[in-house]
Amino acid sequence: MRTRLAIKTHALLEGFFPERRLFLRSDSETRFIRLRPETQAIAFTGVSLLVGWTTIATAVLLMDSIGAGNFREQARREQITYQQRLNALSGERDTRAAEALAAQDRFNAALRQISVMQTELLQSETRRRELETGIDVIQATLRDTMKARQDVSDRLASLQDSIEGGVPLAAAGQDDGQVGILSDALARTAEERDKVVADAQLALVRAAEMEAEIELMEEKNDRIFRQLEEAMTVSVKPLDRMFEKAGMDPDRILGQVRKGYSGQGGPLTPLSFSTRGEQPTEDMMRANRILNQMDRLNMYRIAAQKAPFASPLKDAFRFTSGFGYRWGRLHAGTDFAAPHGTAIYATADGVVTHAGWSSGYGRLVKIQHEFGIETRYAHQSKIRVKVGQRVSRGDRIGDMGNTGRSTGTHLHYEVRVGGKPVNPMTYIKAANDVF
């Protein structure tokens, strides 16, 4: 059966590939090679497979090339879009920085104006107390004058009665000289009476003028109070929002600051004028409220200096990676890209706790601040501070580089509160909303 199948297969192949002979002829002999149908079929199949594989491979390569070209074009367009977005963000950052500087100038001007208003307020209060004292003196003088006037009037009436009687004087044997003395005394008494009346009238006029002056001064003080209250509201409320946005309780933060600055005295000490056992006046209560707000504003200034409400870079930069989870891992900071060697600055007052190499971070600087806050500055090319060194906001601590696990020159900036990482942009944006 196998022989019959082989015969039929050979016959079928011979129909497509008849047996051929290749003659090889040389000078001395002639030889030939017989190509059987099976050999030709195998050769044809092999050639066909080779040609088919070549065709398919070429098509695949062409499709990959076309696809890669599209991907490159798409990547280029996305890169251009990303670059434009980064440029727009950089421009917006510069605008925000300019606005922050302008706001800081306005804030300083408001503080100067508040200081001037406070001085005027204290001077007005002193002047008012002096005027009240003057009125008390004038009233006492007026009472004494009225009493003296009454005494003079009584004496004048007595003398007039004595002169008009005339009889007792003659009976007593008095002469014309005595009558002249009485007349002189009567004239002097009349002059004294007129002078006392004029002084009393002048005192009344002066008292009325002083009362009008006090009313004008009270109106002026009320305007000053209103301006100070409005200035305090405008200055303190944004700072409350700034600390709240940063996740910090303003009252707790100010309490910690106040513990370190517990001295008393000076222009911000609450007013304590003597009230002779009476309740404080409304003006005193308003003044103390304003002074409390000014003290709160001053505490905010100290707290803001000790917290990282600033950017670690002053030169142009672009954001390359933000805070958050990616690929199942937390990116615990924000990345800023800029040229190699760009200056890096401390974002708040503090003490350097680490300045050296750290796995993954490369050259790393850690700064411990108040309120349990720590900032980290990684991948530096050069460190310019030492462990234990106290730095202030704006001090240069290093240069931007590409050390550690890094794909390019940039700064990895972290903020940690109580050892836990938080988004640094929370502090930077909160400061931009105020300063």
Side-chain angles (χ1 to χ4, degrees):
M1 183 177 178
R2 183 181 301 172
T3 304
R4 287 198 300 268
L5 181 60
I7 292 171
K8 289 182 179 181
T9 303
H10 178 77
L12 179 62
L13 291 176
E14 194 172 19
F16 290 97
F17 304 102
E19 184 175 317
R20 300 178 184 275
R21 294 182 179 182
L22 296 178
F23 290 92
L24 302 176
R25 187 175 180 182
S26 63
D27 294 337
S28 59
E29 59 181 348
T30 299
R31 292 181 302 172
F32 67 92
I33 297 175
R34 187 176 62 178
L35 297 177
R36 293 181 298 174
E38 292 82 357
T39 304
Q40 296 182 47
I42 293 172
F44 177 77
T45 302
V47 172
S48 298
L49 291 175
L50 179 61
V51 172
W53 178 82
T54 303
T55 303
I56 294 172
T58 303
V60 171
L61 290 176
L62 289 175
M63 292 177 65
D64 288 343
S65 178
I66 294 172
N70 292 334
F71 288 145
R72 285 194 297 272
E73 183 64 23
Q74 182 179 359
R76 190 177 64 82
R77 290 196 300 268
E78 291 179 353
Q79 183 180 5
I80 293 174
T81 303
Y82 180 69
Q83 196 70 29
Q84 292 175 350
R85 176 59 177 165
L86 290 178
N87 292 334
L89 289 175
S90 179
E92 183 178 357
R93 179 189 62 81
D94 294 338
T95 303
R96 292 295 183 184
E99 292 176 355
L101 291 176
Q104 183 69 34
D105 293 339
R106 292 195 299 270
F107 179 74
N108 294 333
L111 284 181
R112 290 193 295 269
Q113 183 179 5
I114 288 171
S115 178
V116 173
M117 288 182 176
Q118 181 188 5
T119 303
E120 293 180 355
L121 177 63
L122 294 176
Q123 292 176 351
S124 300
E125 185 66 24
T126 303
R127 178 61 178 165
R128 183 180 66 81
R129 288 189 288 123
E130 291 176 353
L131 291 176
E132 289 178 350
T133 303
I135 289 176
D136 292 339
V137 172
I138 290 175
Q139 289 177 347
T141 304
L142 181 60
R143 286 194 295 269
D144 294 340
T145 302
M146 296 299 293
K147 183 177 179 182
R149 176 186 176 186
Q150 185 63 37
D151 293 340
V152 171
S153 297
D154 293 341
R155 288 173 57 192
L156 179 61
S158 177
L159 289 173
Q160 286 178 346
D161 292 340
S162 299
I163 293 173
E164 290 176 356
V167 177
L169 294 174
Q174 294 177 341
D175 54 12
D176 294 339
Q178 292 175 335
V179 173
I181 293 173
L182 292 174
S183 298
D184 293 339
L186 181 62
R188 288 194 301 270
T189 301
E191 291 178 355
E192 292 178 358
R193 181 198 64 185
D194 295 338
K195 183 178 180 181
V196 168
V197 171
D199 292 340
Q201 292 177 348
L202 182 62
L204 291 174
V205 172
R206 179 58 181 163
E209 291 177 351
M210 294 181 70
E211 289 178 357
E213 186 176 353
I214 289 175
E215 291 179 358
L216 293 176
M217 188 170 296
E218 289 177 348
E219 293 179 358
K220 181 180 179 181
N221 288 344
D222 184 65
R223 289 196 304 269
I224 293 175
F225 275 127
R226 287 200 303 271
Q227 291 179 355
L228 288 173
E229 290 168 348
E230 292 173 358
M232 287 296 98
T233 300
V234 171
S235 299
V236 173
K237 289 298 182 183
L239 292 171
D240 287 336
R241 291 196 299 270
M242 182 181 74
F243 279 87
E244 290 172 356
K245 287 182 178 180
M248 305 168 69
D249 183 10
D251 294 332
R252 181 181 64 84
I253 296 301
L254 294 184
Q256 293 182 13
V257 174
R258 193 170 280 109
K259 289 180 181 179
Y261 296 84
S262 58
Q264 295 184 351
L268 299 183
T269 304
L271 300 176
S272 58
F273 297 133
S274 175
T275 57
R276 299 176 184 177
E278 299 177 357
Q279 293 295 326
T281 63
E282 180 63 25
D283 287 345
M284 289 180 60
M285 295 175 64
R286 293 177 71 181
N288 283 333
R289 285 195 297 268
I290 292 172
L291 291 175
N292 288 333
Q293 290 290 87
M294 294 181 68
D295 179 66
R296 186 179 181 89
L297 186 64
N298 192 39
M299 292 296 101
Y300 267 138
R301 179 184 61 80
I302 297 173
Q305 190 69 20
K306 295 179 177 294
F309 290 110
S311 173
L313 300 179
K314 297 181 180 180
D315 297 322
F317 65 87
R318 60 187 179 88
F319 295 104
T320 55
S321 184
F323 179 90
Y325 282 92
R326 53 181 56 85
W327 301 296
R329 298 181 60 183
L330 176 64
H331 184 248
T334 300
D335 293 341
F336 303 81
H340 191 276
T342 298
I344 301 173
Y345 301 93
T347 54
D349 299 352
V351 178
V352 178
T353 58
H354 179 89
W357 189 270
S358 179
S359 177
Y361 285 107
R363 290 190 178 91
L364 172 68
V365 171
K366 296 181 183 179
I367 301 178
Q368 185 65 45
H369 309 282
E370 297 287 342
F371 321 124
I373 300 175
E374 179 190 72
T375 54
R376 298 184 177 185
Y377 312 80
H379 307 309
Q380 299 186 34
S381 62
K382 183 178 181 180
I383 295 177
R384 297 180 180 268
V385 292
K386 298 179 180 179
V387 174
Q389 179 177 342
R390 180 170 294 276
V391 297
S392 301
R393 173 182 294 168
D395 288 350
R396 186 171 183 175
I397 61 174
D399 301 342
M400 187 179 296
N402 188 26
T403 57
R405 286 199 301 270
S406 172
T407 59
T409 300
H410 73 286
L411 166 67
H412 175 81
Y413 173 61
E414 290 186 15
V415 176
R416 293 175 178 254
V417 180
K420 296 181 179 180
V422 297
N423 190 352
M425 294 307 298
T426 301
Y427 289 85
I428 296 175
K429 290 181 179 179
N432 289 337
D433 292 338
V434 176
F435 300 112

